[in-house]
Amino acid sequence: MLAFLIRRIAEALVVMVVVAFFAFSMFRFMGDPVANMMGPDATIADREAMTKRLGLDQPFPVQFAAFLGNVAEGDFGVSFRVGRPVIDLVKERLPATLELALISGLFALVGGIGLGVYTALRRDGLLSRAIMAISLIGVSLPTFLIGIALIYLFAVELRWLPSFGRGETVRIGGWTTGFLTGSGLASLVLPSITLGLFQMTLIMRLVRSEMLEVLRTDYIRFARARGLTTRAIHFGHALKNTLVPVITVTGLQLGSIVAFAIITETVFQWPGVGSLFISSVQAVDVPVMATYLLFVAGFFVFVNLVVDLLYFAVDPRLRSATTGGH
Amino acid sequence: MAAADAVRAGRLRRALDSDLFYSFRRSPLTVVAAVVVLVIGLAALLAPWIAPTDPFDPSSLDLMDGKTPPLKPNEFTGHTFLLGTDDQGRDVFSAILYGARISLLVGFASVVVSMAIGIALGLLAGYRGGWVDSVIMRVADVQLTFPDLLVALMIFGIARGALPIAAQEHMAIPVLILSIGIAKWPQYARTVRGVTMVERGKDYVQAARVVGLPAGKIMRRHILPNVLGPVLVIATLGLSLAIITEATLSFLGVGVPPTSPSLGTLLRIGQEYIASGEWWILFFPAIALVAIALSVNLLGDWLRDALNPRLR
């Protein structure tokens, strides 16, 4: 277990350094950083002073080491587009994205497991079949079209929910939250569904097929023979054993939630990190792009690590396999 | 001449009698999908001859025609449009034909790019093995942890930064093709590598080696034909994904420039008008996009099942 953990963390560190190197190369070689920061009116002496201050006269490895040091201290440079430190921009927008990701993740997980169990237990029911058919359409539609369709139906036609923005937010310390106001909560509904729908259908289909598989096994039959209640069998025994693949897929899908968040935030004009990234790609704002790359990579590496560790917690067979107990 | 015709006729008969065509005829959904792909593909290809107007030519647009609903005469000019017009007075039907052309072009070309990279690296990794294999596959693994869309966005952003501003507009489509192509190579490489490793151990490869053929020739002439089946399946499914990725990027405003709109760009324009009731600007391009993506996907599913011997 410990050896496994150390190996995984070492691997994660290597990936992070590679990504950091990539991000640094973007900084260094895309256009001229000095020209980008000073504008056309600067004198040659000013340029040289800036070059020195940024450390661009140093050899490449020294510059890379300095970059890593700055990143470790939370200094990600200054945005070319708005001229403010990148870390401040990210800090401002991170709460919006995290709240959206949290709610849509919950929606995907709860909805996916619930519907998956339902469609597995009522296999031939009319509702189950309808759900399965609809889920097939949901998977094949592009995310942004689902978002637009939801806006059209619930915001334009029915006028139940807002079509863009976060609504009113409350500031608590450095964090702005939409959880505490009515309009904030209402604004979360459509983006969360848009973002979580694809993951939800995926989890639902997975839980359904795993449940069907497990319900056929011998130990379920024995549990029935022992006279356990249907509820205990379905939820205590069957559902628990479907969870390993669900954890894997959910973990891997957390990564794609980040990518899908870019689309969702654009459709709903959500003031999050994803829309910040899109505007910096449009404006070729290198420091913001590089920072986003680092954040996302860090997030993915972290999630993969957690997923691996969760396996150990959920599946006892894996624990005994690595400690060599048998 | 007659002999050549006979050979051709024989080939056609063999194709029509084949298992593949049989399973094709047996699945009505696949036939429908093929017809849809064929119709939209032809319409896109022949767009300059079919489309009533040229949506790329600003001089042919009349702002007075703007926001005309489908099949209703415009209240100022009296012109009627099959699927209406957008805010600039651009005929939506023509825009869809030209847009589908760009979407399909980018889709096909980016699939070719990822296929070329994936096949080359996959063959190399599978045939050489050792450290070549580990390096290539590790890179593929790392890239696979990131969603395609993100990788494509990153490459697109970097390319934009590296190009001079004057070149950005007309380089946008090649850059887009490369970004999507590079974002999707690992899947091909993995499959090709797997098949190559199996084929490498077979007698015919051993024989070719004993004869003294160079490694490059063995990979190209002997192993490559045997990996093309699975690659074709991924490529078909990949085409529908590539079309959707292109549409998404253009929708986000980082794809093709608005002067030559693809289906995604049309959706980006149309989105602004759903709140004010001009639904057709968005609706028809959306239908076209979904029809293409879904049909290509269905064809890919069919091909996967038809080429999989275990399912027969």
Side-chain angles (χ1 to χ4, degrees):
Chain A
M1 173 75 194
L2 191 66
F4 172 80
L5 193 66
I6 291 172
R7 211 185 65 222
R8 283 303 322 233
I9 291 177
E11 273 178 22
L13 279 178
V14 170
V15 171
M16 281 312 292
V17 170
V18 171
V19 173
F21 182 76
F22 194 67
F24 172 69
S25 311
M26 275 167 68
F27 258 121
R28 186 67 190 80
F29 297 114
M30 272 174 60
D32 178 1
V34 177
N36 275 323
M37 295 177 83
M38 305 215 40
D41 302 332
T43 63
I44 294 178
D46 283 345
R47 281 168 191 276
E48 274 170 4
M50 184 61 135
T51 308
K52 222 179 188 88
R53 202 162 70 75
L54 290 174
L56 294 178
D57 52 346
Q58 303 282 325
F60 186 80
V62 177
Q63 284 187 37
F64 183 50
F67 173 77
L68 284 184
N70 286 343
V71 165
E73 283 173 9
D75 176 9
F76 292 90
V78 176
S79 159
F80 295 161
R81 188 169 55 102
V82 285
R84 291 174 49 205
V86 178
I87 190 69
D88 291 354
L89 293 176
V90 173
K91 263 189 203 154
E92 260 172 34
R93 284 163 168 261
L94 204 56
T97 298
L98 287 181
E99 286 184 357
L100 176 62
L102 178 74
I103 298 299
S104 60
L106 277 178
F107 163 72
L109 211 58
V110 173
I113 293 179
L115 288 178
V117 170
Y118 178 82
T119 47
L121 296 181
R122 302 248 185 293
R123 238 184 114 173
D124 300 313
L126 205 63
L127 188 59
S128 298
R129 289 193 180 177
I131 293 172
M132 292 304 287
I134 293 172
S135 79
L136 204 62
I137 301 172
V139 172
S140 45
L141 279 182
T143 310
F144 64 92
L145 276 185
I146 292 175
I148 294 173
L150 287 175
I151 290 181
Y152 185 71
L153 187 61
F154 292 104
V156 178
E157 286 295 316
L158 297 170
R159 295 178 189 281
W160 287 351
L161 295 163
S163 63
F164 66 89
R166 277 185 92 186
E168 268 176 75
T169 52
V170 177
R171 176 174 276 280
I172 305 169
W175 187 277
T176 54
T177 178
F179 288 158
L180 298 176
T181 61
S183 69
L185 287 174
S187 307
L188 264 168
V189 178
L190 293 183
S192 306
I193 294 177
T194 308
L195 184 52
L197 197 65
F198 182 79
Q199 276 72 21
M200 191 195 85
T201 44
L202 214 65
I203 293 174
M204 177 191 110
R205 295 183 147 258
L206 190 74
V207 168
R208 176 178 178 272
S209 63
E210 287 289 323
M211 270 297 260
L212 289 175
E213 195 89 357
V214 169
L215 286 175
R216 271 200 294 266
T217 55
D218 284 343
Y219 73 88
I220 294 294
R221 211 176 305 154
F222 276 117
R224 286 229 168 85
R226 270 161 58 204
L228 296 182
T229 58
T230 336
R231 175 189 284 268
I233 294 172
H234 287 161
F235 295 97
H237 295 264
L239 183 59
K240 215 170 145 192
N241 280 290
T242 63
L243 289 184
V244 174
V246 172
I247 291 175
T248 322
V249 170
T250 313
L252 295 176
Q253 288 303 311
L254 269 179
S256 54
I257 280 202
V258 172
F260 283 111
I262 299 174
I263 305 169
T264 309
E265 288 181 6
T266 308
V267 175
F268 290 93
Q269 297 168 41
W270 192 260
V273 190
S275 52
L276 174 71
F277 176 62
I278 281 297
S279 19
S280 39
V281 171
Q282 282 165 350
V284 198
D285 189 348
V286 183
V288 181
M289 282 164 65
T291 309
Y292 183 82
L293 180 67
L294 278 175
F295 265 80
V296 167
F299 179 69
F300 283 9
V301 167
F302 175 73
V303 165
N304 276 335
L305 204 63
V306 170
V307 167
D308 278 349
L309 295 181
L310 273 179
Y311 281 158
F312 278 90
V314 173
D315 194 339
R317 283 171 300 183
L318 285 174
R319 260 172 286 173
S320 58
T322 48
T323 49
H326 296 288
Chain B
M1 195 60 196
D5 279 348
V7 169
R8 210 170 296 142
R11 276 199 188 143
L12 187 66
R13 176 153 317 131
R14 248 175 63 199
L16 289 178
D17 285 342
S18 66
D19 291 348
L20 206 61
F21 191 72
Y22 177 73
S23 81
F24 177 73
R25 272 184 318 185
R26 282 282 302 276
S27 153
L29 202 58
T30 312
V31 177
V32 172
V35 170
V36 170
V37 171
L38 215 62
V39 167
I40 297 183
L42 273 179
L45 202 67
L46 303 175
W49 294 278
I50 298 177
T53 61
D54 179 358
F56 296 167
D57 177 12
S59 65
S60 74
L61 302 181
D62 183 355
L63 276 179
M64 296 292 276
D65 280 334
K67 304 184 188 173
T68 313
L71 290 177
K72 276 189 195 137
N74 182 286
E75 48 184 310
F76 306 111
T77 59
H79 296 152
T80 313
F81 300 91
L82 181 61
L83 303 180
T85 60
D86 68 2
D87 56 320
Q88 311 269 337
R90 192 157 33 198
D91 175 32
V92 171
F93 179 62
S94 311
I96 290 177
L97 290 182
Y98 277 86
R101 204 178 151 106
I102 292 177
S103 292
L104 286 171
L105 168 77
V106 174
F108 267 114
S110 62
V111 165
V112 169
V113 170
S114 20
M115 240 163 80
I117 304 175
I119 290 177
L121 292 180
L123 276 175
L124 204 63
Y127 190 76
R128 290 267 185 235
W131 67 269
V132 178
D133 183 33
S134 335
V135 169
I136 293 176
M137 284 302 122
R138 203 23 67 90
V139 173
D141 282 345
V142 171
Q143 196 183 315
L144 274 175
T145 34
F146 295 88
D148 296 351
L149 184 74
L150 211 57
V151 178
L153 269 172
M154 273 294 169
I155 299 170
F156 190 82
I158 293 172
R160 277 267 287 257
L163 282 173
I165 292 169
Q168 273 177 13
E169 176 122 353
H170 65 261
M171 285 301 285
I173 288 182
V175 166
L176 191 63
I177 291 171
L178 276 182
S179 320
I180 302 176
I182 296 174
K184 294 181 192 285
W185 72 269
Q187 222 198 337
Y188 295 85
R190 280 191 154 186
T191 310
V192 171
R193 169 183 176 264
V195 180
T196 306
M197 285 170 77
V198 174
E199 295 295 322
R200 189 180 58 173
K202 289 193 177 161
D203 287 344
Y204 73 92
V205 176
Q206 301 295 339
R209 243 196 227 158
V210 171
V211 172
L213 286 184
K217 198 164 190 181
I218 297 180
M219 285 188 236
R220 247 191 349 265
R221 296 290 297 276
H222 297 273
I223 300 181
L224 183 60
N226 290 309
V227 303
L228 285 182
V231 166
L232 191 64
V233 173
I234 308 178
T236 317
L237 292 171
L239 176 61
S240 92
L241 287 177
I243 291 173
I244 288 186
T245 306
E246 186 279 324
T248 306
L249 289 177
S250 296
F251 176 78
L252 294 175
V254 291
V256 298
T259 43
S260 51
S262 74
L263 289 177
T265 325
L266 295 178
L267 294 173
R268 179 181 171 82
I269 300 169
Q271 190 211 0
E272 292 168 27
Y273 296 97
I274 51 168
S276 48
E278 283 98 14
W279 53 272
W280 60 90
I281 305 177
L282 178 101
F283 183 71
F284 294 115
I287 294 291
L289 175 68
V290 172
I292 298 179
L294 207 61
S295 307
V296 174
N297 209 341
L298 283 171
L299 282 182
D301 275 345
W302 159 74
L303 203 60
R304 183 184 55 201
D305 294 346
L307 291 181
N308 187 346
R310 267 179 302 174
L311 289 179
R312 282 208 190 119

